[in-house]
Amino acid sequence: MTEQMQSEQGQTVVDSAKADKTIIHVEAMHKWYGSFHVLKNLNLDVAQGERIVICGPSGSGKSTFIRCINRLEEHQQGKIVVDGVELTDDVRHIDSVRKEVGMVFQHFNLFPHMTVLENCCVAPIWVRKTPRKEAEATAMEYLKRVKIPDQANKYPGQLSGGQQQRVAIARALCMKPKIMLFDEPTSALDPEMIKEVLDTMIELASSGMTMLCVTHEMGFAKTVADRVIFMDGGEIVESAPPHDFFDNPQEPRTQQFLKQILHH
Amino acid sequence: MSESMAPPKRAFAPVQWMRDNLFNTWYNILLTVVVVYMIGTSIGPLLNWLFLDATFTGADPKDCVGDGACWLFINQRLNFFMYGFYPDAQQWRVDIMFFLLAVAFVPQFIERFPARRWLGIFGMTGLPIIGYILIPGGWFGLEEVQSNKWGGLMLTLILAYVGIIGSLPLGIILALGRRSEMPVIRGFCVIFIEVWRAVPLITVLFMASVMLPLFLPEGMNFEKLLRALIGITLWQSAYMAEVIRGGLQAIPRGQYEAGSALGLGYWRKMRLIILPQALTLVIPGIVNTFIGLFMDTTLVLIIGLFDILGTVQSTITDPAWQNVAIEGYVFVAFCFWVFCFGMSRYSQNLERKLDTGHKT
Ligand SMILES: Nc1ncnc2c1ncn2[C@@H]1O[C@H](COP(=O)(O)OP(=O)(O)OP(=O)(O)O)[C@@H](O)[C@H]1O
Ligand SMILES: [Mg+2]
């Protein structure tokens, strides 16, 4: 039993050795909520610097999938390796993966009792052990990058939705993650605020960040994505570069989905 | 782009206010009239009794001759009401504690008092340590004063203070434990909370003072006051846990997830993200519990401890003084009111200060 565990550990080391290109490796992954089979046999390799857009109808398991990548949800079968570390029950593995993976949520989830600056500094200070001065300097840098340095001392409740989401992006970036996950970052926003958030994301994409975005913004997918993944019923139905995906979808389910969203 | 302007000033017009709030409907007019009449007829006699006809100074009970209150009684027995049987020569030790208590907590009401925060922290950490050294004594050359001599307001404050300072952290731990994913911890916390909460304090005190010694091994017989303090703290922490759990439940799941996604571990997430918000939400409930505890400390009377109510009650039967029961109880009520009202005001201050304009 112990030997077997050790050989599994050995496996992890081998994985990290060849991780210079593949930063996320998902293999034969399944997940159930009770008896409900939400994710069925997912396989995906994401290269460093790759930008992936995930789309699909509501309830298809997109959120669940990307939340498995930083272990906000637990998978029950198969394998997820992030930056050379396999996600298991081992808390140390989970912690080290979460350090390298930033996440932006649909509803921002900023900490309302902290100022914008404190929101950005809390994780660098307590997780990365960055000195406060340095953390604040970094935070200001990222707040400049998302174009709201002047809001640093306000509370999230005093900002507009678009500004809050940009703070959320800056907060995640302050941890200097290798991977960024976005779960419908614009779908809780008013139309006029969507652009400012998308611009921030486009800027981030051009800086070489590895990104996984669940979004229905097809314009964003076309301009930024290296690959578009279509999920339905808990499966990856199709995965292709954007021009193939939009102009020449192979699967009937993809064709139907595209017809629906593009006609709106 | 147009100039930005200052918001319009809202003038306060008393007549307008009265018309809007006191005389706006026929039943409000009626209520206003009745209430004003009742206040008008009772305020005069009350003031007369409390102040104008009252006796404040004098040498002995015979000096209380007027129709008003005999405050001379309180005046003469004040020492007993403050310190109980604490020896006169040692009372400076208690005075230091009263003074430090005031130094730590009175500035909390004054916005922008320098080092206010540090004084507050001192009040929660340094103060109990100093009190633990100073009040019982028996070391550092201080004469030992056994706890059966403690009494009066001093005892009331010790009971309430220890109960408050002890039950808040314990309550937090229990509340977190009750929401834990680990069945053993959760089970323990649920049982602890439900058992203590189902028992009235008076029973807890009685058990602590009378029954506990029967179960404890010979020689391990610690003081009655200490047993009462432990009983009160544990009992109170069960209530506190439920209040805090209410706050924890109100925090959206997204806050936990955002904390986790940033890599914060369980304890950091709780301390930095969840608890500050949850505790802020339940400040009214926490203070309500504190106030309840403050009042409940009077129950120690049944195990033979003389808190402020006990000292007053034991003196009003003194045959030397005639009919001073009302004065005694008014005095006790006033003391309780000062502290409880203080706590309530403080909680309102705190709520206002911690409100960061977030609405969920
Ligand atoms: N905690 C949960 N317990 C049980 N079922 C869940 C839970 N969370 C999600 N589900 C179910 O899992 C399925 C996938 O949910 P998921 O949130 O991943 O969908 P999605 O593709 O992100 O949809 P949307 O576009 O609406 O966000 C849905 O059918 C949902 O009802
Ligand atoms: Mg979703």
Side-chain angles (χ1 to χ4, degrees), chain A residues 31-34 36-39 54-67 73 106 183-184 187 214 216 231 234, chain B residues 253:
Chain A
K31 173 170 179 62
W32 288 263
Y33 281 126
F36 175 52
H37 199 172
V38 246
L39 297 179
I54 302 171
C55 60
S58 180
S60 56
K62 308 178 295 290
S63 300
T64 310
F65 177 39
I66 70 162
R67 288 155 59 86
E73 302 286 352
Q106 182 175 3
D183 190 1
E184 306 202 27
S187 52
V214 175
H216 294 120
M231 284 183 74
Chain B
R253 211 173 63 147

Side-chain angles (χ1 to χ4, degrees), chain A residues 101-143:
Chain A
V101 181
M103 185 159 195
V104 175
F105 299 86
Q106 182 175 3
H107 296 288
F108 329 138
N109 295 352
L110 293 176
F111 306 131
H113 61 302
M114 296 179 178
T115 63
V116 165
L117 191 64
E118 288 166 346
N119 262 280
C120 293
C121 290
V122 61
I125 289 174
W126 291 98
V127 181
R128 286 243 191 259
K129 314 282 181 212
T130 316
R132 177 174 292 274
K133 277 261 148 38
E134 197 184 318
E136 283 180 359
T138 314
M140 285 310 296
E141 217 169 277
Y142 281 111
L143 287 173

Side-chain angles (χ1 to χ4, degrees), chain A residues 59-84:
Chain A
S60 56
K62 308 178 295 290
S63 300
T64 310
F65 177 39
I66 70 162
R67 288 155 59 86
C68 282
I69 293 171
N70 65 351
R71 197 67 170 194
L72 288 183
E73 302 286 352
E74 197 176 311
H75 63 284
Q76 280 104 16
Q77 216 182 82
K79 195 163 146 186
I80 303 178
V81 183
V82 179
D83 193 27

Side-chain angles (χ1 to χ4, degrees), chain A residues 149-205:
Chain A
D150 46 325
Q151 312 286 352
N153 293 314
K154 285 197 182 165
Y155 285 97
Q158 299 166 315
L159 304 183
S160 75
Q163 290 172 325
Q164 289 192 47
Q165 193 60 297
R166 284 183 287 153
V167 172
I169 294 173
R171 176 177 72 178
L173 291 176
C174 282
M175 279 293 280
K176 308 223 157 113
K178 293 185 177 149
I179 302 162
M180 284 284 284
L181 307 175
F182 293 83
D183 190 1
E184 306 202 27
T186 54
S187 52
L189 296 175
D190 293 337
E192 70 270 23
M193 294 173 187
I194 291 178
K195 189 175 174 302
E196 62 187 54
V197 171
L198 286 180
D199 286 346
T200 309
M201 290 169 63
I202 290 169
E203 197 267 333
L204 183 64

Side-chain angles (χ1 to χ4, degrees), chain B residues 50-359:
Chain B
L50 279 175
F51 304 110
L52 299 177
D53 297 340
T55 314
F56 290 89
T57 50
D60 63 81
K62 287 190 214 57
D63 290 334
C64 274
V65 283
D67 289 338
C70 179
W71 297 125
L72 177 62
F73 163 68
I74 306 292
N75 200 345
Q76 296 245 309
R77 307 306 306 268
L78 195 61
N79 193 280
F80 184 50
F81 298 160
M82 288 290 127
Y83 310 98
F85 301 101
Y86 210 87
D88 287 355
Q90 301 297 325
Q91 282 172 6
W92 59 270
R93 281 149 56 172
V94 182
D95 291 336
I96 288 181
M97 291 315 295
F98 280 142
F99 174 73
L100 289 179
L101 195 71
V103 166
F105 293 110
V106 172
Q108 306 304 323
F109 296 91
I110 304 163
E111 209 75 38
R112 280 195 260 286
F113 191 92
R116 179 169 97 144
R117 200 188 148 98
W118 291 107
L119 287 172
I121 293 173
F122 164 75
M124 313 264 260
T125 54
L127 191 74
I129 296 171
I130 298 176
Y132 183 71
I133 293 170
L134 219 50
I135 295 196
W139 39 32
F140 303 117
L142 291 169
E143 186 186 309
E144 184 172 354
V145 181
Q146 298 232 308
S147 67
N148 55 11
K149 297 219 175 87
W150 308 1
L153 182 66
M154 161 200 161
L155 184 68
T156 298
L157 289 179
I158 289 174
L159 290 164
Y161 181 87
V162 171
I164 287 171
I165 295 285
S167 66
L168 190 59
L170 261 178
I172 291 173
I173 303 276
L174 286 168
L176 291 176
R178 192 166 184 168
R179 289 169 58 84
S180 163
E181 279 162 17
M182 280 173 266
V184 177
I185 294 179
R186 190 175 55 230
F188 172 81
C189 292
V190 170
I191 292 170
F192 183 97
I193 291 170
E194 295 305 336
V195 166
W196 283 94
R197 231 161 41 117
V199 184
L201 180 58
I202 204 157
T203 318
V204 172
L205 288 171
F206 194 69
M207 301 239 290
S209 85
V210 181
M211 286 176 65
L212 200 60
L214 302 179
F215 300 122
L216 286 176
E218 196 90 22
M220 206 190 136
N221 194 3
F222 47 93
E223 292 170 54
K224 186 158 66 177
L225 176 62
L226 185 58
R227 293 194 304 249
L229 284 173
I230 293 171
I232 287 177
T233 307
L234 293 180
W235 178 81
Q236 186 66 16
S237 65
Y239 278 88
M240 195 53 73
E242 286 300 280
V243 172
I244 292 167
R245 190 164 69 96
L248 290 174
Q249 266 166 350
I251 305 302
R253 211 173 63 147
Q255 293 289 311
Y256 292 85
E257 290 178 350
S260 301
L262 285 169
L264 294 165
Y266 177 82
W267 289 107
R268 293 221 175 96
K269 192 166 63 189
M270 290 303 155
R271 188 162 65 79
L272 299 166
I273 314 291
I274 306 302
L275 282 173
Q277 297 184 58
L279 293 178
T280 308
L281 275 177
V282 294
I283 287 172
I286 291 176
V287 173
N288 201 28
T289 316
F290 285 167
I291 290 176
L293 172 67
F294 205 99
M295 314 272 191
D296 285 342
T297 57
T298 50
L299 291 173
V300 295
L301 198 62
I302 64 134
I303 58 168
L305 295 174
F306 283 83
D307 72 328
I308 187 165
L309 182 64
T311 51
V312 170
Q313 222 162 24
S314 68
T315 20
I316 53 182
T317 51
D318 182 349
W321 295 88
Q322 302 288 315
N323 301 324
V324 286
I326 297 178
E327 286 85 340
Y329 288 124
V330 167
F331 171 70
V332 173
F334 178 73
C335 290
F336 275 98
W337 180 81
V338 167
F339 284 98
C340 295
F341 184 68
M343 285 195 267
S344 146
R345 293 301 309 180
Y346 177 61
S347 85
Q348 285 170 26
N349 274 356
L350 205 60
E351 271 176 70
R352 221 172 313 121
K353 209 182 83 191
L354 295 177
D355 179 17
T356 56
H358 184 79
K359 13 180 193 334

